[in-house]
Amino acid sequence: MHARILTILPPRERYEAGHAGAISLLVSRLASAGDHVAGNGAVGVPLSGGQYRPLVLPRVPLPHAWRLRLACVAMMRSYQPTLTEIHNRPDLARFLARFGPVRLVLHNDPCGMRGARSVRQREALARHVLVCGVSAWVIQRFREGCGPIRTEVQPNCLDLSVLPVSRDREKTVLFAGRVVADKGVDAFVRAWGHIRASHPEWRAVIMGADRFGPDSPETPYLKQLRPLAAAAGVMMTGYRPHDAVLDAMAEAAIVVVPSRWQEPFGMTALEAMGCGAAVVASPVGALSDLVGDAALLAAPDDPGALEQALSRLMDDDGLRVRLGAKGRERATLFDVGAARFRVEELRQAAIVFAGRLPRS
């Protein structure tokens, strides 16, 4: 019998076409037709994977976190899932494990998440739910300081069959993603200002906003960045739907991922490799393991490093072609077919895991 799966999204994730973040897109990619996906509020056109169900928070005089918990319990009792999957909410996963088998999927550094900040919390969590992370780096952070516990890696994935067909590459260096300091966008602008005069036939583009969706706010960071980008000759498109971002990656000769923060996976780099672009990435978090030898690495705040890597790629047609081919080959390791098989393994393991351990 096929397991009944209920996936509960983080509160800020929207399961809506044109508004979805990375977690929603991944859930949709992996969801079977009969899976239920629950999120915070109604949506317009839901993503295609599974069946979306809005959580109904009870109108009771309790903090939001408790109202969310009660809404999730009500959804579990209504749907009667074989397994409930929680993304990026350790505290919620630990609570819901009282009501049925739970699998926790971590997409970011867990040590800053509620319910996983201390070693004691993480060890207790791992006794009651199967903890999975999207990279070995995420799992290493979860296990830091802990005794023997069970954890598993569930890498993110791409459906290579639906990526846009690679076309003649434009002399464009593209940044795509959230326009925030942690993503190193200002470092890209700085680097481009230093090297643009030596490469007049090239252009630089920033595609994204503070958040995913057309209603993203104009933040102080964006206000400060815009005149710097204009002075450096960098075009800023604002938010674009995910399909438009992939189209841009299939056209751009180079995609830059100059993150400062410890990237827990590096989905932008994977998508760029899948689209055949040559990639320049930061050697932080899980990025270097993800790209392997299929990209150039450059720390965004090391003097001259990003400038040198970009110039090297712009000056060497053969290197761009070789890295684009290597990236496409490496992306096949993360294709959705293998990922679905891995997820099914982990779901069965989580059900068995929950059956063997007492709940408290």
Side-chain angles (χ1 to χ4, degrees):
M1 179 185 293
H2 182 72
R4 293 166 62 87
I5 305 298
L6 170 63
T7 297
I8 297 177
L9 299 171
R12 291 187 179 182
E13 282 283 329
R14 293 187 65 178
Y15 208 67
E16 182 173 2
H19 296 264
I23 295 176
S24 290
L25 291 170
L26 178 69
V27 168
S28 177
R29 207 169 289 142
L30 292 171
S32 299
D35 292 354
H36 280 207
V37 180
N40 193 15
V43 301
V45 179
L47 296 177
S48 59
Q51 303 173 37
Y52 181 74
R53 297 289 184 269
L55 292 166
V56 180
L57 274 62
R59 296 182 177 181
V60 292
L62 290 172
H64 181 272
W66 272 101
R67 295 170 62 215
L68 176 63
R69 289 178 177 185
L70 294 177
C72 292
V73 172
M75 182 70 73
M76 290 173 71
R77 287 176 171 168
S78 171
Y79 181 54
Q80 294 290 307
T82 314
L83 177 70
T84 300
E85 297 186 332
I86 308 297
H87 291 258
N88 262 9
R89 286 297 300 266
D91 58 330
L92 184 61
R94 176 67 185 89
F95 177 79
L96 294 180
R98 297 178 171 91
F99 304 94
V102 168
R103 189 169 76 94
L104 172 64
V105 184
L106 297 169
H107 299 260
N108 299 102
D109 185 351
C111 295
M113 296 180 184
R114 186 179 302 156
R117 290 174 182 147
S118 71
V119 169
R120 183 177 179 180
Q121 286 178 321
R122 296 196 295 275
E123 288 180 334
L125 181 64
R127 287 195 297 268
H128 294 87
V129 307
L130 182 60
V131 177
C132 303
V134 297
S135 67
W137 184 86
V138 169
I139 288 301
Q140 178 185 349
R141 289 289 290 155
F142 185 88
R143 297 177 68 93
E144 204 165 273
C146 294
I149 56 173
R150 180 175 180 181
T151 54
E152 299 285 351
V153 175
Q154 175 195 312
N156 285 338
C157 65
L158 279 179
D159 187 347
L160 294 173
S161 68
V162 302
L163 291 182
V165 177
S166 293
R167 54 207 77 168
D168 290 341
R169 295 283 167 179
E170 298 179 356
K171 290 189 173 182
T172 299
V173 182
L174 173 68
F175 170 91
R178 293 190 62 211
V179 183
V180 294
D182 281 347
K183 295 293 186 178
V185 195
D186 56 289
F188 173 43
V189 170
R190 178 211 69 224
W192 189 255
H194 289 163
I195 63 177
R196 64 178 293 212
S198 302
H199 303 85
E201 72 277 22
W202 286 77
R203 66 176 187 142
V205 176
I206 294 171
M207 185 172 287
D210 176 73
R211 300 176 191 170
F212 297 107
D215 54 352
S216 181
E218 181 72 4
T219 63
Y221 180 79
L222 274 166
K223 290 179 181 178
Q224 184 179 31
L225 186 68
R226 289 190 191 283
L228 298 175
V234 180
M235 177 189 299
M236 298 182 68
T237 71
Y239 169 78
R240 291 291 184 271
H242 188 240
D243 287 347
V245 173
L246 294 178
D247 283 337
M249 287 180 172
E251 294 176 349
I254 301 170
V255 173
V256 59
V257 187
S259 299
R260 290 189 176 99
W261 81 311
Q262 301 289 314
E263 286 282 359
F265 182 77
M267 197 63 199
T268 298
L270 178 58
E271 289 175 334
M273 291 192 298
C275 290
V279 173
V280 177
S282 297
V284 295
L287 271 174
S288 55
D289 286 340
L290 172 69
V291 301
D293 64 352
L296 297 186
L297 298 178
D301 296 317
D302 282 1
L306 192 53
E307 290 89 337
Q308 182 179 7
L310 290 173
S311 294
R312 183 183 171 194
L313 275 179
M314 286 189 287
D315 291 337
D316 192 333
D317 295 353
L319 179 59
R320 293 198 306 274
V321 171
R322 290 194 299 274
L323 285 182
K326 277 188 174 182
R328 178 75 179 184
E329 181 180 359
R330 189 161 182 83
T332 62
L333 300 175
F334 301 89
D335 192 37
V336 69
R340 285 174 177 153
F341 182 80
R342 175 63 173 156
V343 166
E344 185 59 30
E345 282 185 331
L346 292 173
R347 286 174 171 172
Q348 295 302 320
I351 294 166
V352 173
F353 182 84
R356 291 177 178 173
L357 295 173
R359 301 187 187 97
S360 59

